[in-house]
């Protein structure tokens, strides 16, 4: 089999030190670059200029699934998928279903079941997370497609959640496994989305029904707002491989993980119990700032970033791989799709 060296100079240095390999599959239509060994992401590129990625993926679904479970992330480069419709077609080829956004974050629907990323200030880093891991139900897979890369920055850093679990100090890890994570949220306080937007209803009865079916405690406040409390696992097993994965969003909800100015502003505006978002150990006790610093340091040390190129598609196993977003300059346009909704009761 002919060995093909694939240029990848924009990746971190450790990628370039490894031996590059490619293999032929289905009449040499694609080539693999696993130059990082077990390092994520696996890169798939076309061997010829006329490969239809959606058709190839549909014919090789088992191959894609096997490698996604192994690596947790696959980056498809060079297939020139630049429209929302083309991105959705590929998503349906590699996923059993795509589902509509649940209203949790402000997004714009582009076409069918494809939408924009969540809004977050361009000058700030969106920390690593497994999508919707604070909810009772969450996507097994998530896809990103690049319509227009930012002028500068805007990468989507990814982290192997299995390695995060392995590197957290055992005492800290065991405490989270035992106690879980409590997510506390206040809606309708002038910051963030109100409950009508998040739950996509004006009916309090509908909200209560949803909360009861999704293991969410709720409290209606005198100002018309809503407070919810959810206790979720911090660690789960992958539903197919039984590998343990660090699967929570404590770093998104804990005050210690916010920029100093943002944290001070929130504490000067809200009482502790009225903060828009906060998190605790599952028994309601405080998660120490030092613990969150330790966890964030591990994410930072493990993260892998690559510059987006127009037409790139990143496919993630949402249990195995966390993602974030780096600050950026200039206009940045990405497609997003989620698939295969699953709940904690199924893991």
């Amino acid at each position: 089999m002919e060995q093909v060296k694939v240029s990848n100079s924009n990746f971190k240095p450790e990628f370039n030190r490894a031996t590059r390999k490619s293999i032929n599959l289905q009449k040499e239509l694609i080539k693999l670059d696993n130059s990082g060994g077990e390092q994520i992401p696996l890169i798939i590129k076309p061997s010829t200029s006329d490969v239809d990625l959606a058709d190839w993926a549909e014919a090789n679904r088992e191959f894609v699934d096997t490698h996604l479970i192994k690596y947790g992330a696959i980056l498809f480069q060079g297939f020139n998928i630049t429209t929302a419709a083309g991105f959705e077609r590929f998503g349906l080829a590699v996923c059993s279903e795509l589902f509509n956004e649940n209203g949790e974050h402000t997004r714009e629907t582009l076409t069918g079941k494809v939408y924009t990323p969540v809004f977050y200030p361009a000058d700030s880093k969106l920390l690593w997370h497994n999508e919707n891991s604070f909810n009772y139900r969450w996507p097994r897979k998530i896809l990103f497609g690049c319509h227009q890369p930012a002028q500068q920055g805007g990468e989507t850093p990814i982290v192997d959640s299995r390695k995060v679990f392995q590197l957290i100090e055992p005492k800290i890890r065991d405490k989270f496994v035992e106690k879980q994570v409590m997510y506390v949220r206040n809606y309708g306080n002038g910051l963030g989305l109100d409950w009508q937007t998040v739950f996509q209803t004006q009916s309090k009865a509908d909200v209560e029904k949803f909360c009861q079916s999704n293991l969410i405690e709720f409290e209606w406040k005198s100002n018309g707002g809503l407070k919810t409390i959810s206790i979720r696992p911090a660690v789960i097993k992958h539903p197919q491989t039984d590998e343990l994965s660090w699967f929570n969003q404590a770093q998104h909800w804990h005050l210690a993980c916010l920029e100093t100015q943002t944290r001070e502003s929130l504490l000067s505006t809200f009482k502790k119990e009225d903060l828009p978002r906060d998190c605790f150990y599952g028994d309601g006790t405080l998660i120490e700032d030092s613990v969150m610093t330790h966890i964030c340091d591990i994410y930072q040390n493990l993260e892998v970033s690559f510059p987006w190129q127009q037409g790139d598609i990143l496919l993630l196993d949402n249990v195995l791989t966390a993602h974030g977003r780096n600050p950026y300059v200039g206009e940045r346009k990405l497609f997003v799709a989620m698939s295969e909704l699953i709940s904690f009761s199924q893991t």
Side-chain angles (χ1 to χ4, degrees), residues 156-168:
T156 299
I158 54 178
V159 179
D160 189 326
S161 297
R162 293 165 289 191
K163 292 183 179 178
V164 176
F165 171 80
Q166 293 163 8
L167 292 176
I168 291 175

Side-chain angles (χ1 to χ4, degrees), residues 172-192:
I172 293 175
R173 189 175 63 199
D174 293 345
K175 189 172 183 179
F176 272 100
V177 170
E178 176 188 357
K179 294 180 177 290
Q180 303 186 303
V181 179
M182 175 187 290
Y183 301 96
V184 180
R185 184 168 181 178
N186 287 286
Y187 307 79
N189 54 11
L191 186 64

Side-chain angles (χ1 to χ4, degrees), residues 198-252:
V198 172
F199 292 94
Q200 299 184 6
T201 181
Q202 299 291 321
S203 169
K204 290 185 176 181
D206 288 345
V207 172
E208 293 175 4
K209 183 178 179 181
F210 177 88
C211 289
Q212 290 164 353
S213 63
N214 286 274
L215 304 182
I216 301 173
E217 297 181 25
F218 60 90
E219 173 190 342
W220 295 107
K221 306 180 77 172
S222 58
N223 64 358
L226 171 68
K227 183 174 188 173
T228 59
I229 300 175
S230 306
I231 300 175
R232 307 295 185 215
V235 174
I236 66 171
K237 289 183 177 181
H238 190 276
Q240 290 176 269
T241 68
D242 282 341
E243 293 172 287
L244 291 170
S245 177
W246 190 255
F247 188 79
N248 64 80
Q249 286 183 227
Q251 64 275 7
H252 265 202

Side-chain angles (χ1 to χ4, degrees), residues 80-88 107-111 113-118 142-148 156 308 310-314 332-338:
N80 197 34
I81 297 181
T82 59
T83 67
F87 174 77
E88 182 174 21
R107 302 181 189 262
E108 175 189 352
T109 299
L110 297 175
T111 181
K113 297 179 181 179
V114 175
Y115 31 88
T116 61
V118 300
I142 182 168
L143 301 96
F144 298 94
C146 183
H147 177 68
Q148 178 180 329
T156 299
W308 279 112
Q310 187 179 46
D312 283 357
I313 293 181
L314 179 64
R332 176 183 186 267
K333 295 182 179 180
L334 259 63
F335 307 131
V336 180
M338 300 182 195

